[in-house]
Amino acid sequence: MVSPETRPPSPPRHPCANFLTIDRTGDVVPEIHRPAIRRQLDALTAREVPEQLLEWVDSYPAVLIRQPDDVWTHRYTHFLERDDGSITFEIPLWTTDESPSDLTAQIELEADGRIHIYDVHVL
């Protein structure tokens, strides 16, 4: 075992290292986060979000519906968990015509527990 006194110094960290370092990625939304994400997705469907998040929704040729439980394990669902404790989720969205559609919501769960949709776009 190398003692702390003889261990070589660590290289300097880039200022964005905490933001860029990913601890875990996945394709199944952990159950503990689903209720908070569900509230965000329901707010999007009810149009209770900032107008800029509705730009792609309004121009899409189908209407958003309440997202089914399939969204948690769908092959297009992904998340990135960073070492600062924040998690970014990419969730496909269902519409009246497609399951899922080409619409995707990006959701940020911050380390302090705040959660919000920060982007909705067409892939």
Side-chain angles (χ1 to χ4, degrees), residues 20-25 80-85:
L20 298 174
T21 302
I22 298 170
D23 280 348
R24 188 166 71 112
T25 64
L80 301 173
E81 187 174 346
R82 297 184 186 95
D83 64 357
D84 69 354

Side-chain angles (χ1 to χ4, degrees), residues 60-65 93-101:
Y60 203 75
V63 177
L64 277 184
I65 61 171
L93 300 173
W94 269 242
T95 67
T96 52
D97 296 343
E98 301 170 294
S99 37
S101 69

Side-chain angles (χ1 to χ4, degrees), residues 29-106:
V29 175
E31 287 192 30
I32 192 167
H33 303 307
R34 292 178 186 182
I37 294 170
R38 166 66 68 205
R39 287 189 295 276
Q40 293 296 306
L41 293 174
D42 287 350
L44 178 63
T45 303
R47 306 180 60 82
E48 298 168 350
V49 296
E51 277 297 314
Q52 70 265 22
L53 293 176
L54 296 171
E55 182 178 334
W56 283 106
V57 172
D58 289 344
S59 64
Y60 203 75
V63 177
L64 277 184
I65 61 171
R66 187 170 198 270
Q67 303 308 298
D69 288 338
D70 292 351
V71 73
W72 309 127
T73 59
H74 195 274
R75 67 179 184 211
Y76 297 148
T77 296
H78 304 289
F79 73 88
L80 301 173
E81 187 174 346
R82 297 184 186 95
D83 64 357
D84 69 354
S86 65
I87 307 172
T88 299
F89 299 90
E90 188 169 281
I91 308 286
L93 300 173
W94 269 242
T95 67
T96 52
D97 296 343
E98 301 170 294
S99 37
S101 69
D102 293 331
L103 290 167
T104 300
Q106 291 184 299

